Amino acid sequence: YSPGARAGDTLYVSGTLAIGPDGKTVGVGDVKAQTRHVLETIKSVVEAAGGTMKDIAFNQIFLANLADYAAMNEVYREYFP
C-alpha cells in the first residue's frame, strides 16, 4: 500500500479511510472526527510530496449515510474554503 503515487507532476492519493495507526476506526459515530482524520492524512501525503491543500484539483468523497453530509461539509470547508 502506498498512500500517494506521483505520475509526472500529478500526485494521486487514494484509499484514505478513518483508520488510525493502530488499525482501529477513528471517531466511531463522529463524522466530523473521521472527516478531519481523513483530510489530515491527505494533507500529510500532499505536503510530503511538496504540495499544499490548495494544489488539490479533484477530491471524491464517499459517505455511508447522506444524512452526515452537512457535518462532513462543515469540516471540509476548513480545508477547502
Side-chain angles (χ1 to χ4, degrees), residues 3-62:
R6 184 182 295 245
D9 290 334
T10 303
L11 175 68
Y12 294 93
V13 180
S14 180
T16 306
L17 302 170
I19 305 292
D22 60 0
K24 295 182 180 178
T25 302
V26 172
V28 175
D30 185 346
V31 70
K32 289 182 181 182
Q34 291 184 343
T35 301
R36 187 165 280 107
H37 176 81
V38 167
L39 291 175
E40 283 295 325
T41 301
I42 291 169
K43 182 179 175 183
S44 69
V45 173
V46 170
E47 288 178 349
T52 71
M53 295 296 273
K54 289 181 179 182
D55 296 316
I56 294 176
F58 175 81
N59 195 22
Q60 190 164 11
I61 302 163
F62 295 94

